[in-house]
């Protein structure tokens, strides 16, 4: 970052955080009113039982909405909270009331509103006061002439009267307040973040539920991807190599009969045709092997397998593999990364009309395995079209990986995968 860019970024961050603090006060008022209303009216209405439960459930729903807004606001100032298990709608009547009342995170979202009220009042007053003193001090010479004659300035309080000293001391004070405002504002935002982290960041139970849900969904995605791959292999084997092998068997039997009859010319023609069927079967089997880990990946690792796959591509491929010589990774990670490369290369060969492809494989400082396959083709690829990229996304879900596709029309395609 250049030296001129740093002050601009600091100013933008401080303005964004100041806006966050100033908006916190009216939102906190709404939240505190919601808390008091939910608790007081809800408990009072419990005499009617169902009415009280409805009021409390509605208050919890509103608290969750405000909690979600606060999470987004904190993320907007660069302090995101850990994700919480979202409320799953669809319930009606008493089921909806029961779901709200038994949602632990909803109660924590309501509790957040209680202490958020005094925190927001204090931060609002400090933010207004700090910026008011700072900006008022900086602009003091512009309006000091309009102040009443008997007005006592900072210089008078310090025992150094006089308009010149008064202006100098007041401006200096304004400079100090404005210069320190970014750190004061940042500190106040961190106070909000600390309280939000205790309440809005979710309980361990909610986090466990979310993890179970994520693993269940990823397992279903992997099972679906593997089932689809098996169906594709079975279909392609039946329609391709199996038919060729049947035809090869028939041609060889016919060649035996022609050879027994002494018809060398017909025998030679049949053998030539049989050889073509064998070569065609080999090509189709190589294509089918994209869905199966090749021996080179199992024996020699990801780097060698990627180089081998690049060498078989009909488009020139430039490889950049930042892995140590002989470095091996967990089999699941290697397999997922390999299939990202092969599927992206296959799609590029079929659809991109590219003249060059670049493959980069490496491990970040945080241990994430990243695979990037970029081509200079026509673009237009989308993970929702066909089985290829959509199947990759499902396969990566099984190893907690993520797939990103950038493919604007006419600007090539970049397929990137992150495998933790």
């Amino acid at each position: 970052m250049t030296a001129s860019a740093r002050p601009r970024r600091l100013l933008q961050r401080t303005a964004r955080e100041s806006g966050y603090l100033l908006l916190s006060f009216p939102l906190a008022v709404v939240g505190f009113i919601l808390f008091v209303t939910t608790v007081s009216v809800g408990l009072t209405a419990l005499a009617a039982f169902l009415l009280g439960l409805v009021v409390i459930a509605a208050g919890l729903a509103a608290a969750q909405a405000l909690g979600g807004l606060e999470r987004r606001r904190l993320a907007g100032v660069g302090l995101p909270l850990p994700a919480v298990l979202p409320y799953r709608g669809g319930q009606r009547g008493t089921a909806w009331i029961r779901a709200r009342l038994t949602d632990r995170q909803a109660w924590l979202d309501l509790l957040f509103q209680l202490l958020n009220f005094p925190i927001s009042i204090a931060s609002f007053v400090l933010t207004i006061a700090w910026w008011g003193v700072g900006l008022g001090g900086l602009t003091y010479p512009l309006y000091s002439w309009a102040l009443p004659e008997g007005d006592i300035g900072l210089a008078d309080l310090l025992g150094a009267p006089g308009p010149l000293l008064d202006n100098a001391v007041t401006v200096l004070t304004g400079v100090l307040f404005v210069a320190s405002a970014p750190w004061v504002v940042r500190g106040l935002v961190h106070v909000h973040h600390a309280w939000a982290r205790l309440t809005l960041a979710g309980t361990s139970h909610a986090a466990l539920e979310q993890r179970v849900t994520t693993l269940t969904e990823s397992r279903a995605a992997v099972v679906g991807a593997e089932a689809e791959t098996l169906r594709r292999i079975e279909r392609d084997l039946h329609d391709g190599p199996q038919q060729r092998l049947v035809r090869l068997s028939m041609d060889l039997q016919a060649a035996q009969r022609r050879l027994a009859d002494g018809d060398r010319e017909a025998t030679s023609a049949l053998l030539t045709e049989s050889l073509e069927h064998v070569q065609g079967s080999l090509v189709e089997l190589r294509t089918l092997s994209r869905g199966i880990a090749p021996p080179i990946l199992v024996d020699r690792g990801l780097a060698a397998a990627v180089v081998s796959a690049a060498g078989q591509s009909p488009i020139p491929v430039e490889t950049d593999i930042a892995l140590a010589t002989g470095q091996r990774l967990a089999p699941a990670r290697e397999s997922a990364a390999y299939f990202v490369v092969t599927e992206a290369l296959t799609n590029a060969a079929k659809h991109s009309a590219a003249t060059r492809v670049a493959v980069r494989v490496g491990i970040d400082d945080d241990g994430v395995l990243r695979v990037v396959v970029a081509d200079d083709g026509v673009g237009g690829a989308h993970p929702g079209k066909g089985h290829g990229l959509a199947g990759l996304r499902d396969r990566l879900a099984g190893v907690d990986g993520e797939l990103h596709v950038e493919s604007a029309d006419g600007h090539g395609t970049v397929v990137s995968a992150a495998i933790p």
Side-chain angles (χ1 to χ4, degrees):
M1 187 188 305
T2 62
S4 60
R6 290 193 186 95
R8 184 170 64 253
R9 291 196 56 164
L10 180 62
L11 180 61
Q12 291 173 348
R13 190 199 76 185
T14 304
R16 187 167 57 248
E17 292 175 348
S18 296
Y20 166 86
L21 293 173
L22 295 177
L23 185 58
S24 293
F25 176 64
L27 289 176
V29 172
V30 175
F32 186 72
I33 294 173
L34 172 66
F35 178 87
V36 173
T37 303
T38 301
V39 174
S40 60
V41 177
L43 292 178
T44 302
L46 276 178
F49 190 65
L50 184 58
L51 178 60
L53 294 180
V54 170
V55 171
I56 294 175
L60 291 173
Q64 284 191 302
L66 286 175
L69 176 61
E70 185 66 17
R71 293 183 189 95
R72 292 190 295 273
R73 287 182 353 104
L74 284 170
V77 294
L79 294 172
L81 297 173
V84 298
L85 187 67
Y87 170 75
R88 297 183 178 275
Q91 300 95 341
R92 294 290 185 273
T94 56
W96 179 83
I97 297 175
R98 187 187 313 112
R100 291 294 187 180
L101 295 177
T102 57
D103 189 342
R104 294 176 176 84
Q105 187 56 52
W107 289 99
L108 287 173
D109 288 356
L110 183 63
L111 177 62
F112 167 79
Q113 306 302 330
L114 178 62
L115 191 57
N116 186 51
F117 182 61
I119 291 176
S120 296
I121 292 176
S123 63
F124 179 83
V125 171
L126 282 173
T127 303
I128 291 291
W130 214 270
W131 282 113
V133 172
L135 297 177
L138 284 177
T139 59
Y140 182 72
L142 299 178
Y143 63 85
S144 60
W145 59 271
L147 296 176
E149 288 293 337
D151 184 67
I152 300 176
L154 286 176
D156 296 312
L157 295 176
L158 296 174
L164 184 61
L165 284 176
D166 185 42
N167 284 332
V169 171
T170 306
V171 170
L172 179 60
T173 302
V175 170
L176 292 175
F177 270 75
V178 170
S180 61
W183 289 271
V184 173
V185 168
R186 189 68 170 175
L188 293 173
V189 171
H190 275 286
V191 173
H192 282 262
H193 179 259
W195 174 235
R197 190 172 181 84
L198 289 175
T199 52
L200 300 183
T203 62
S204 58
H205 179 81
L208 180 59
E209 283 184 342
Q210 183 175 16
R211 182 60 178 164
V212 170
T213 301
T214 302
L215 291 176
T216 301
E217 292 175 351
S218 65
R219 179 182 179 277
V222 171
V223 171
E226 294 296 337
E228 180 61 28
T229 300
L230 287 175
R231 285 193 294 269
R232 176 179 62 82
I233 293 174
E234 291 172 355
R235 182 181 64 248
D236 293 346
L237 281 173
H238 181 271
D239 296 341
Q242 180 176 321
Q243 299 297 329
R244 287 184 178 275
L245 291 174
V246 170
R247 178 63 183 276
L248 174 62
S249 176
M250 295 172 62
D251 288 347
L252 289 176
Q253 291 174 0
Q256 283 182 325
R257 292 193 296 270
R258 296 294 185 274
L259 185 60
D261 295 339
D263 190 349
R264 298 178 60 86
E265 183 176 346
T267 300
S268 177
L270 287 170
L271 290 176
T272 300
E273 187 176 351
S274 298
L275 182 60
E276 292 176 355
H277 286 306
V278 170
Q279 293 173 339
S281 298
L282 288 175
V283 171
E284 291 180 346
L285 288 173
R286 289 194 189 98
T287 302
L288 288 173
S289 68
R290 286 193 299 110
I292 306 172
I296 190 172
L297 177 64
V298 177
D299 297 337
R300 298 176 55 191
L302 179 60
V306 169
V307 171
S308 175
Q312 297 175 19
S313 173
I315 306 174
V317 179
E318 175 186 345
T319 59
D320 179 12
I321 304 176
L323 298 177
T325 304
Q327 181 178 3
R328 299 303 303 268
L329 307 175
R333 298 178 77 196
E334 288 190 337
S335 178
Y338 174 77
F339 287 123
V340 170
V341 173
T342 55
E343 189 66 45
L345 290 178
T346 300
N347 286 343
K350 287 183 177 180
H351 311 296
S352 72
T355 60
R356 183 184 62 83
V357 181
V359 177
R360 297 192 299 276
V361 180
I363 298 179
D364 293 347
D365 294 337
D366 54 0
V368 176
L369 175 62
R370 297 196 180 274
V371 179
V372 180
V373 182
D375 65 59
D376 60 353
V378 297
H382 192 277
K385 297 179 180 179
H387 169 67
L389 294 179
L392 273 183
R393 178 161 287 172
D394 291 341
R395 187 185 292 271
L396 286 171
V399 290
D400 290 338
E402 295 180 354
L403 181 72
H404 298 281
V405 180
E406 299 177 10
S407 188
D409 290 337
H411 294 82
T413 299
V414 179
V415 178
S416 59
I419 305 171

